Amino acid sequence: MNRREGEGCPRRNADAVQDANSSSPVIAAFKVFQQELDTKHDKHERLVKISRDVTIESKRTIFLLHRVTSVPNADDILKEADVKLDAVRQKIGQIAEELRGEDIFQFHRAFTAGIQEYVEAVSFLHYIRHRSLISLEEINASLVFMRPEKVDDKGSAEAPQTGGPVLTFQVTPSDYLLGVADLTGELMRMCISSVGNGDIDTPFQLSQFLRQIHDGFSYIGNTGPYEVSKKLHTLRQSLGKVEDACYALRVRGSEIPKHMLADVFSSRTVHLDTEEGVV
């Protein structure tokens, strides 16, 4: 008799189970965990999208800067590069806003690729202007953003939320080192382009500069981040190609017409890449 009464009331049993679940502290705790994980995942996806935009615009800036070797007046190109990098900094400001109050290293993988590309672009521009390496402090000094004031429905401006009106983003030392390591590849391409345009002095300047960067990375050795030791091999390849070009200029420069230098060095570069398995 009792069994039939229990079998005839499935809705009552389900309601009782639901009431028990809603009042369970374990279920309530896991609902909080679910909300936290969903919030973290959404923030991660937004950071990945912003980092992708930073990477794309930084690459476009680098492609633009490579034109300085083929124009008589590079001021217009440098000004255009400044405008592009200002737009990239605004994107990095969005990353800083997303990371406000968060542990940066929880989301570091989401945006590290874009920051490395930005470091590569801004250091390339700095070298073209000043023939020196930009420091980490100089990069971070330019990543200070003013948080906009909110305007309510009545049109009056409200003060920024907690955290102050100034927002900053700090490039980590590892991202800085990885961006500088990628810079050496762009300097190697700049060397070959300069030779093709009849500029004989730039390759020797680049060779000396790349040696200094290589020496700096050699001091780090295996004590730095794992990715740095991986990119050290690429750095050595770029330095070797620039030194090979300087050697050919010094020994055979007087024998090769200037308009043929680019073809000679391009073929030598492809030959070296084939031997190293790059092509």
Side-chain angles (χ1 to χ4, degrees), residues 3-278:
R3 184 177 60 181
R4 290 182 179 178
E5 290 178 356
E7 292 176 353
C9 302
R11 179 176 297 178
R12 183 190 307 170
N13 294 338
D15 293 341
V17 172
Q18 185 175 1
D19 293 339
N21 290 340
S22 61
S23 61
S24 171
V26 176
I27 298 298
F30 271 88
K31 285 184 178 180
V32 174
F33 299 154
Q34 178 187 7
Q35 293 176 356
E36 291 178 354
L37 290 174
D38 289 343
T39 302
K40 181 179 179 181
H41 177 74
D42 293 341
K43 186 182 292 290
H44 183 276
E45 291 301 315
R46 291 195 298 270
L47 288 171
V48 169
K49 290 182 63 177
I50 299 173
S51 175
R52 191 179 299 118
D53 294 338
V54 170
T55 300
I56 293 173
E57 292 303 321
S58 298
K59 285 183 179 294
R60 289 174 178 171
T61 304
I62 292 172
F63 296 153
L64 172 67
L65 290 173
H66 275 295
R67 292 168 49 193
V68 298
T69 60
S70 59
V71 295
N73 187 5
D75 290 340
D76 293 339
I77 292 179
L78 296 181
K79 290 179 182 178
E80 185 177 352
D82 282 330
V83 173
K84 287 182 175 294
L85 287 178
D86 284 339
V88 174
R89 292 187 190 97
Q90 296 305 313
K91 293 288 184 181
I92 297 178
Q94 297 178 22
I95 296 178
E97 182 67 30
E98 291 286 350
L99 295 175
R100 182 167 52 87
E102 301 282 356
D103 182 3
I104 183 175
F105 293 102
Q106 284 190 356
F107 302 95
H108 186 246
R109 283 186 176 272
F111 60 85
T112 179
I115 298 302
Q116 291 176 32
E117 201 69 33
Y118 168 74
V119 171
E120 181 181 357
V122 74
S123 58
F124 192 25
L125 174 61
H126 187 273
Y127 176 81
I128 293 174
R129 276 193 170 136
H130 306 287
R131 288 299 190 264
S132 62
L133 180 64
I134 190 172
S135 66
L136 177 60
E137 290 75 16
E138 290 176 291
I139 293 178
N140 286 332
S142 64
L143 298 178
V144 179
F145 312 97
M146 298 299 296
R147 298 177 61 193
E149 296 180 344
K150 289 189 175 182
V151 180
D152 58 13
D153 297 336
K154 297 179 181 180
S156 60
E158 298 180 355
Q161 297 177 353
T162 58
V166 178
L167 197 63
T168 61
F169 181 88
Q170 297 292 311
V171 177
T172 62
S174 60
D175 287 342
Y176 171 74
L177 290 174
L178 294 172
V180 172
D182 291 334
L183 168 67
T184 58
E186 304 304 329
L187 295 178
M188 182 269 295
R189 296 179 183 90
M190 182 181 179
C191 170
I192 303 303
S193 300
S194 300
V195 172
N197 293 315
D199 185 358
I200 308 301
D201 297 328
T202 297
F204 293 97
Q205 297 174 1
L206 289 170
S207 176
Q208 184 65 28
F209 182 66
L210 287 175
R211 286 195 197 101
Q212 294 174 357
I213 294 180
H214 177 267
D215 292 343
F217 274 89
S218 299
Y219 288 133
I220 297 174
N222 295 327
T223 61
Y226 171 70
E227 294 84 358
V228 172
S229 59
K230 288 174 58 179
K231 292 197 175 184
L232 184 58
H233 176 67
T234 304
L235 193 159
R236 287 171 178 161
Q237 287 181 343
S238 300
L239 175 60
K241 292 171 184 177
V242 173
E243 289 180 337
D244 184 74
C246 292
Y247 171 80
L249 282 174
R250 185 70 70 187
V251 175
R252 300 184 55 198
S254 59
E255 303 174 0
I256 306 174
K258 287 187 177 181
H259 67 278
M260 296 178 59
L261 287 174
D263 296 334
V264 172
F265 290 123
S266 297
S267 62
R268 292 174 69 90
T269 301
V270 172
H271 178 67
L272 289 172
D273 288 339
T274 306
E275 289 181 347
E276 295 164 356
V278 177

